């Protein structure tokens, strides 16, 4: 079984509440440069299922190497992203929060792995902008009383990047074209479901639903996963649709990609984005 198979992720994500989370050391190892969907993929790997052929991936498709950002017309000097520019535990009160942080160099601003699969499946290239410096934080609910923590453990994830101004312009200007092929994407094929291999279909949709709610620029992207359907019987696989969202916020030469926990709302994500923009002000060029 491939633990990054987006078919398996989308079909099984509603059963993750029964999965026992790994110990903190293992979760920390997984925390680097991941989105909520990547965390879901890691959790799915422990389930006792096997998958057949990928339902949503494009066979044999390689992720294109991103083109280097072209030189900026103005003088720009990149400096490391300081930890104080990230969201802080106090921003998520009253929850008891433990932050896990990582820093990076030359990281891609990769918004959504499954969106990348969608574009590949339709023969569309995906070139992610590249940052100069980056830092990330994963806010997790602190363990209390030695109890296992299940769904809802991750409260927020933030990846913060310092990027040349022309690269940030391309990122925001190019979002409509990036999402356009995947506003309604149906894919079908063989997949494993409850011990059997069946032909199934699932619908995904990525849409820009809001702009201008935080920082110099901001976008809210909603990802909706419809009920998977057995193509032979017409029966639905799972009970409900799934909706997740991410916020992309720019302040000066800093770009932040944010997601809240599995029980978070889009309204709460906007609030987080505004808090993140305030934090970014201390390190942005130009500042606020």
């Amino acid at each position: 079984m491939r633990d990054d198979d987006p078919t398996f992720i989308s079909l099984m994500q509603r059963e993750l509440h029964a999965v026992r989370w790994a110990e903190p050391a293992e979760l920390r190892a997984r925390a680097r440069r991941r989105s909520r969907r990547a965390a879901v993929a890691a959790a799915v790997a422990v389930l006792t299922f096997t998958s057949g052929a990928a339902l949503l991936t494009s066979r044999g498709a390689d992720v294109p190497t991103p083109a280097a950002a072209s030189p900026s017309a103005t003088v720009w000097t990149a400096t490391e992203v300081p930890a104080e520019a990230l969201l802080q535990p106090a921003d998520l009160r009253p929850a008891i929060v433990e932050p896990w942080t990582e820093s990076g160099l030359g990281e891609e601003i990769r918004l959504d792995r499954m969106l990348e699969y969608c574009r590949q499946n339709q023969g569309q290239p995906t070139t992610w902008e590249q940052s100069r410096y980056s830092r990330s934080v994963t806010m997790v609910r602190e363990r209390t009383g030695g109890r296992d923590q299940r769904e809802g453990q991750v409260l927020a994830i933030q990846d913060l990047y310092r990027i040349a101004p022309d690269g940030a312009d391309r990122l925001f200007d190019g979002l409509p074209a990036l999402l356009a092929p995947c506003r309604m994407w149906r894919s079908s094929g063989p997949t494993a479901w409850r011990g059997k291999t069946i032909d199934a279909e699932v619908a995904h949709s990525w849409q820009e639903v809001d702009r201008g709610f935080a920082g110099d620029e901001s976008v809210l992207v909603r990802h909706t996963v419809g009920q998977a359907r057995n193509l032979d019987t017409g029966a639905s696989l799972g009970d409900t649709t799934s909706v997740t969202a991410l916020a992309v916020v720019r302040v000066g030469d800093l770009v932040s990609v944010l997601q809240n926990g599995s029980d978070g709302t889009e309204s709460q994500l906007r609030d987080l984005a505004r808090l993140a923009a305030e934090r970014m002000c201390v390190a942005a060029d130009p500042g606020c």
Side-chain angles (χ1 to χ4, degrees):
M1 183 185 80
R2 291 177 51 194
D3 61 8
D4 63 348
D5 183 351
T7 299
F8 212 53
I9 297 168
S10 60
L11 292 181
M12 301 303 298
Q13 59 185 335
R14 289 184 285 273
E15 297 194 5
L16 289 178
H17 65 277
V19 178
R20 293 174 64 87
W21 287 93
E23 290 304 308
E26 184 179 352
L27 283 170
R28 286 188 178 92
R30 296 175 183 172
R32 179 174 171 79
R33 301 272 75 85
R34 76 198 191 281
S35 66
R36 178 169 172 262
R37 280 161 292 282
V40 168
V44 169
V46 306
L47 296 175
T48 56
F49 292 89
T50 59
S51 65
L55 175 60
L56 304 184
T57 60
S58 174
R59 295 178 184 271
D62 294 324
V63 179
T65 301
S70 58
S72 175
T74 58
V75 176
W76 175 73
T77 303
T79 57
E80 189 177 2
V81 178
E84 57 266 27
L86 291 167
L87 287 170
Q88 303 297 313
D91 297 330
L92 279 80
R93 291 189 184 276
I96 301 174
V97 176
E98 179 184 359
W100 302 339
T101 61
E102 294 282 349
S103 59
L105 180 67
E107 298 277 357
E108 298 171 35
I109 306 179
R110 201 175 197 177
L111 301 182
D112 190 327
R113 176 65 173 171
M114 291 183 70
L115 176 62
E116 190 172 5
Y117 277 117
C118 169
R119 290 180 58 86
Q120 288 178 352
N121 183 261
Q122 300 175 78
Q124 299 288 332
T126 305
T127 300
W128 303 112
E129 294 296 332
Q130 192 167 16
S131 65
R132 189 69 59 85
Y133 296 102
S134 60
R135 193 175 290 271
S136 66
V137 62
T138 302
M139 299 287 191
V140 296
R141 197 183 306 275
E142 190 176 75
R143 290 173 182 251
T144 57
R147 293 179 296 176
D148 290 335
Q149 294 198 320
R150 301 171 182 264
E151 191 175 5
Q153 181 180 8
V154 176
L155 299 175
I157 298 172
Q158 179 187 19
D159 290 327
L160 180 57
Y161 306 91
R162 192 178 300 280
I163 181 173
D166 55 346
D169 290 340
R170 285 194 300 270
L171 174 65
F172 281 88
D173 293 345
L175 269 175
L178 181 74
L179 301 178
C182 299
R183 288 197 180 99
M184 181 53 67
W185 174 48
R186 294 184 180 274
S187 189
S188 60
T191 191
W193 179 254
R194 295 181 178 174
K196 297 180 180 179
T197 299
I198 61 173
D199 286 324
E201 178 186 73
V202 66
H204 285 253
S205 174
W206 284 266
Q207 295 183 340
E208 179 184 311
V209 294
D210 199 4
R211 270 195 185 240
F213 50 87
D216 297 333
E217 291 183 273
S218 53
V219 175
L220 188 72
V221 177
R222 181 186 296 153
H223 176 205
T224 304
V225 182
Q227 285 183 292
R229 183 171 63 91
N230 187 321
L231 291 176
D232 294 326
T233 66
S236 297
L237 308 178
D239 298 327
T240 61
T241 59
S242 172
V243 179
T244 57
L246 64 85
V248 189
V249 181
R250 177 184 184 179
V251 177
D253 63 346
L254 294 178
V255 172
S256 188
V257 180
L258 296 135
Q259 293 172 281
N260 50 7
S262 58
D263 56 353
T265 67
E266 289 181 4
S267 177
Q268 291 169 338
L269 183 56
R270 288 184 186 89
D271 290 341
L272 268 184
R274 295 183 188 102
L275 286 170
E278 292 177 9
R279 297 284 186 188
M280 292 159 68
C281 281
V282 303
D285 181 16
C288 301

